[in-house]
Amino acid sequence: MTTTPDRVRTAFPDISSRAWEHPADRAALVTLRTLKGFDTVFRTISGLLQERQHRLMYLATSVRVDERQFSDLHDLRSDCVRILGADETPELFVLQTPVVNAFTIGMDRPFIVVTTGLLDAMNYEEQRFVIGHELGHALSGHAVYRTILMHLMRLAGTIGWMPIGGWALRAIIAALMEWQRKSELSGDRAGLLCGQDVHTALRVQLKLAGGSRVSEIDTDAFLAQAAEYEASGDLRDGVLKLLNIELLAHPFSVLRAAELKKWVDSGAYAAILRGEYPRRHEDDDAKISEEFRKAAKTYKQNFDASNDPLIRMLREIGSGLGTTVDAVGNGVGDVAADIKDRFTHWRRNSDGKRDSEGNNDSDN
């Protein structure tokens, strides 16, 4: 028995994950990708986090998707892998829980977990968006900095009482949390590329915010909430917004929908559909400085266009804030650059030590 696809979707041969990554996310990832051996180090760290144990746990407590189990999800995953040109097909597990959730785990062999609560809430095409979103995470290698973040969060609990060290660590964690929130916007773009249906992609965000009763929700009114959220209130509300998101791993659903719509309206999505996208074989040629400039430009544009009361006040303080906003735009990239410098220094010292030990052995 054969099934006919509901429609033919455009595939993107040799597409680089840079095509769907948010500028702030991409700047940091390009930095990390320039480090030879960096992935090996963090695979070791991931081993300390018992990545293999996690997979064994889901192997024992959930259902692994294949041709015989959740075959519809198997077909969705295969189609997403084809569309995004993935070299490998990540394992996919269905976990029994009413919580609506999906996540990607692992660095060496990433695998995807979706909950029964999510499957119950989402229809077939909405599930396609979710699988594409998670596949985007896997292809971008987001587990690398999420591993860093997990370690820093644990470290913060042990030295957070130190006045200077604690505040410095909190600043790094805040930058990485901002990085992770931007990675979710990247995942949404990958999900849209897999489904190629803007209305379905927006409906996923509607359901994440208001449940499965989509007949009670209007898309335009939902998107209008994002504009109202940004513009309403006074200075106190602007500060509260910052406090609300400080330690959130995901942006608010209303804002995710607005950001995805903004990406579509910019023409970037249509350009990819036309075949205008960066290729994977060109990834080694990506320039860190250029990606940092794009990230800073994005933050600057958002700053200039924002109606948030706190941002409006900052704009009114003086023109000197231009350089300040550029610095904010580079903030996430600075964390990645610092990681790169430290890793390079560590590797140089390690190589020197090995050379010294080798020379001593030959002298003996």
Side-chain angles (χ1 to χ4, degrees):
M1 179 178 176
T2 59
T3 58
T4 303
D6 57 341
R7 63 185 179 86
V8 177
R9 291 175 174 81
T10 302
F12 310 106
D14 195 36
I15 189 172
S16 168
S17 60
R18 291 181 290 125
W20 63 75
E21 288 160 1
H22 184 279
D25 178 28
R26 187 168 62 241
L29 290 174
V30 167
T31 303
L32 296 181
R33 288 166 187 155
T34 63
L35 300 178
K36 304 304 180 183
F38 182 84
D39 56 342
T40 302
V41 171
F42 279 94
R43 281 194 182 101
T44 302
I45 293 177
S46 184
L48 296 177
L49 295 175
Q50 301 175 324
E51 179 179 315
R52 292 173 65 88
Q53 182 180 1
H54 284 304
R55 180 182 175 276
L56 289 173
M57 181 183 70
Y58 288 107
L59 197 63
T61 61
S62 57
V63 177
R64 182 167 59 187
V65 173
D66 58 21
E67 300 91 337
R68 299 160 297 173
Q69 303 187 118
F70 290 97
S71 59
D72 285 349
L73 285 181
H74 170 74
D75 292 340
L76 282 182
R77 176 183 54 181
S78 299
D79 205 30
C80 289
V81 166
R82 176 188 66 85
I83 290 171
L84 295 185
D87 293 331
E88 298 181 1
T89 300
E91 285 185 300
L92 175 60
F93 295 92
V94 175
L95 178 66
Q96 165 61 29
T97 173
V99 177
V100 177
N101 198 11
F103 47 91
T104 302
I105 297 177
M107 298 171 59
D108 194 19
R109 292 179 58 196
F111 61 91
I112 299 169
V113 179
V114 298
T115 66
T116 53
L118 182 138
L119 297 181
D120 292 339
M122 305 292 174
N123 65 30
Y124 188 71
E125 288 307 312
E126 292 160 0
Q127 292 171 19
R128 180 192 297 275
F129 173 87
V130 172
I131 298 300
H133 174 107
E134 297 303 328
L135 180 60
H137 281 319
L139 294 176
S140 289
H142 284 142
V144 172
Y145 65 83
R146 290 184 178 185
T147 301
I148 301 171
L149 185 59
M150 290 171 65
H151 278 281
L152 289 177
M153 293 291 282
R154 291 182 178 182
L155 186 60
T158 60
I159 70 170
W161 57 270
M162 298 174 60
I164 299 178
W167 278 107
L169 184 60
R170 181 170 177 171
I172 295 174
I173 291 175
L176 287 173
M177 293 302 290
E178 167 69 3
W179 188 0
Q180 178 157 331
R181 287 191 294 272
K182 292 301 184 286
S183 80
E184 294 302 325
L185 302 180
S186 301
D188 287 345
R189 296 174 180 184
L192 175 57
L193 291 175
C194 285
Q196 298 174 23
D197 186 332
V198 176
H199 294 293
T200 296
L202 295 177
R203 196 165 58 245
V204 169
Q205 306 304 331
L206 264 67
K207 287 189 173 182
L208 290 176
S212 59
R213 299 174 184 175
V214 290
S215 61
E216 302 294 326
I217 306 174
D218 180 81
T219 303
D220 291 336
F222 184 74
L223 291 173
Q225 288 181 220
E228 182 177 345
Y229 173 83
E230 181 182 5
S232 64
D234 55 20
L235 183 59
R236 292 169 299 176
D237 292 314
V239 174
L240 290 174
K241 290 173 190 176
L242 293 177
L243 294 176
N244 281 341
I245 68 170
E246 182 184 15
L247 293 179
L248 284 183
H250 291 64
F252 297 127
S253 296
V254 173
L255 303 182
R256 286 174 65 179
E259 284 289 334
L260 191 58
K261 183 69 163 52
K262 186 187 303 181
W263 186 63
V264 172
D265 291 343
S266 73
Y269 169 63
I272 294 175
L273 291 179
R274 293 194 301 268
E276 301 170 12
Y277 54 80
R279 264 55 180 183
R280 197 176 303 141
H281 70 270
E282 301 169 342
D283 281 347
D284 289 341
D285 299 327
K287 292 181 172 56
I288 298 173
S289 59
E290 178 62 24
E291 299 301 342
F292 281 2
R293 280 194 293 270
K294 290 178 181 178
K297 181 180 179 181
T298 299
Y299 278 104
K300 180 70 163 59
Q301 289 173 340
N302 291 341
F303 182 87
D304 292 340
S306 176
N307 289 317
D308 181 271
L310 177 59
I311 301 301
R312 287 202 308 267
M313 185 202 73
L314 291 176
R315 279 204 305 263
E316 293 169 359
I317 289 176
S319 59
L321 278 174
T323 54
T324 302
V325 176
D326 288 339
V328 172
N330 284 314
V332 174
D334 288 343
V335 174
D338 181 61
I339 292 170
K340 175 182 178 179
D341 291 341
R342 291 174 184 273
F343 177 77
T344 303
H345 179 71
W346 169 82
R347 187 176 62 183
R348 188 181 300 117
N349 288 343
S350 298
D351 291 342
K353 182 178 180 181
R354 285 194 295 270
D355 291 340
S356 174
E357 291 174 347
N359 291 334
N360 289 337
D361 291 339
S362 62
D363 290 340
N364 291 333

